[in-house]
Every structure is written in C-alpha cells, then in structure tokens.
Amino acid sequence: MGRPEVPTGATLLGEPLPVELMNTVRIDRKDVQDALGDAASATAWLRAVDDRLRRETGGSVDRADVGGAAERELANRLRGLRDALRRLAAEATGDPRPPVTSPIAERQTAIDTLNALAAAWPELRWPSGGDPVPVFRTSGTTGDLALAFIAHQAVDLFAGARREQLRACLAPGCLLYFLKHHPRREWCSAGCGNRARVARHYQRHHTDSRPTTAGNGAPRSRRS
C-alpha cells in the first residue's frame, strides 16, 4: 500500500510557477513556515501544481520518480531553487522585508543555482490535423523536468518584461510575492488587503488619539 498523500501547506495564488515556488515560505502566528520543509512536503507541493506542469510542459512528476532517496534529492534541489528565486525576487522588487527567508546571501550564488537547474528545452510537437505546440524536455526524469521547467520559466521572468510586474506583498505578516497585472493591485490577496487596511486604520486612530502638549504644558488631545 502506498503512503497517503500529504496536502501542501503552501499558499497557491494562481501565479506563474516560479512565483508559486517563492511563496512556499509564509508566516503563521509570527513564525516562519516552510511548505517544503521535508521531502514529503516538497512532493505534496509538486502534486498540487501537477496539473499545471502537465499542461505547460507535456510532462509531470511521475510517482515512481519521487520515492525514497530520489524524493529527498529532488526536495533538496527544489528548496535550493526556491531560495535562489526568493533572493533574486528580493533584489528585483527592492523588498524591504527582513531577508530571513532565503539563506542565499550572494546574488551571484542565486544566479548560478538558477542557471544550473534550468536545463530544459522546448521541442516542437505538431500532430496531424492539430496545432503545433512546444513541449519541454530534459535529459533526466519527469521529476527533473518539473524542476528544470520552473527554473526555465524563472529565467524568462527575471530577464523579461514581467520582472517589472513582480511585487513583494507588504501587508502585515506576509512574505509572499505576486505579479501586478492590474494597476490597482497592491497585495497578493484580498485577505492581505484587508489586513493592510485594518493596520492603517489602527495606526491612524492610535496616532490621532495620542495626547500632545499645550502651550501651558497641559496635555491636549489631537482629536477635536
């Protein structure tokens, strides 16, 4: 009997896969949570995006490829890619949040990690009577293909026009990234937008209600 599947603890927002991978780090009750913390969790995340991988690459993570030592090795490389992407995303966005979510300090190390993993290439598939489509391939397993394809997409993201759309969500207690497709979008989700508005309201109320000092030294409320 196979192991029961573990649900992913990551927040999936429908962003491009490299951004979804960046978002496998989050804050829960002020503690940093890693949704790729162990091999089973990393496999759960790959399962959660499996439909997209199948649709976008023509291949997916084969269950036979992610067991035992292969699962642990793939999970280690997935975490390494995630850490590289978060380091580069922080630079691309001018992210002011504390850099506690990527152990990669050097920019070039992150670039080298990404490039080493981006070993996927497109091939043309043109079925008789159908439309031509690109299908991505790699020299390894389908698990390797998932990793390489996400890295390949990340190169396109950072080297292309969409880099200007990449944003760090600056809502209180959020570590996620998103692409700003709409001019009015400022947060990764509606929930973060609500938290940010509540925090601003509290800050204004707290600031406006603090007493100031009148000319005679007596306390004076800021509120009229």
Side-chain angles (χ1 to χ4, degrees):
M1 181 180 294
R3 294 175 306 170
E5 291 197 1
V6 177
T8 182
T11 301
L12 297 174
L13 300 174
E15 299 288 346
L17 288 171
V19 181
E20 299 283 24
L21 182 57
M22 296 175 201
N23 290 345
T24 54
V25 174
R26 61 188 177 87
I27 293 180
D28 182 17
R29 296 181 181 178
K30 299 184 179 180
D31 292 326
V32 176
Q33 302 292 324
D34 185 352
L36 308 179
D38 55 32
S41 298
T43 300
W45 185 82
L46 287 169
R47 295 279 185 262
V49 298
D50 184 67
D51 286 344
R52 291 185 61 182
L53 285 167
R54 183 181 294 109
R55 182 173 63 251
E56 296 177 28
T57 69
S60 63
V61 179
D62 191 323
R63 295 173 189 272
D65 288 336
V66 290
E71 182 181 41
R72 291 191 294 274
E73 195 272 337
L74 184 64
N76 287 335
R77 289 192 292 145
L78 189 64
R79 282 191 293 270
L81 177 58
R82 187 270 313 279
D83 294 341
L85 297 186
R86 287 191 67 89
R87 171 62 181 84
L88 296 174
E91 177 159 329
T93 61
D95 189 351
R97 300 173 299 187
V100 297
T101 57
S102 177
I104 299 178
E106 298 298 325
R107 174 176 176 269
Q108 190 59 48
T109 301
I111 293 172
D112 292 344
T113 299
L114 173 56
N115 288 339
L117 292 171
W121 60 88
E123 294 180 352
L124 179 66
R125 175 183 293 171
W126 196 344
S128 177
D131 294 326
V133 294
V135 177
F136 277 80
R137 301 293 185 218
T138 191
S139 57
T141 66
T142 50
D144 295 326
L145 174 60
L147 196 66
F149 179 69
I150 295 170
H152 188 280
Q153 282 193 326
V155 172
D156 289 342
L157 172 64
F158 288 121
R162 290 192 302 172
R163 183 183 72 253
E164 300 300 323
Q165 297 177 325
L166 186 62
R167 297 288 188 276
C169 182
L170 302 183
C174 189
L175 294 177
L176 306 190
Y177 291 93
F178 65 96
L179 292 189
K180 185 174 181 175
H181 293 301
H182 191 281
R184 298 183 64 183
R185 186 180 183 188
E186 297 295 337
W187 320 107
C188 71
S189 66
C192 273
N194 289 337
R195 284 197 298 275
R197 285 187 286 272
V198 168
R200 284 200 300 262
H201 175 78
Y202 174 82
Q203 186 176 27
R204 284 196 301 267
H205 178 78
H206 183 71
T207 300
D208 290 346
S209 62
R210 284 185 304 177
T212 60
T213 302
N216 60 4
R220 180 177 61 196
S221 175
R222 290 179 182 269
R223 299 178 66 89
S224 57

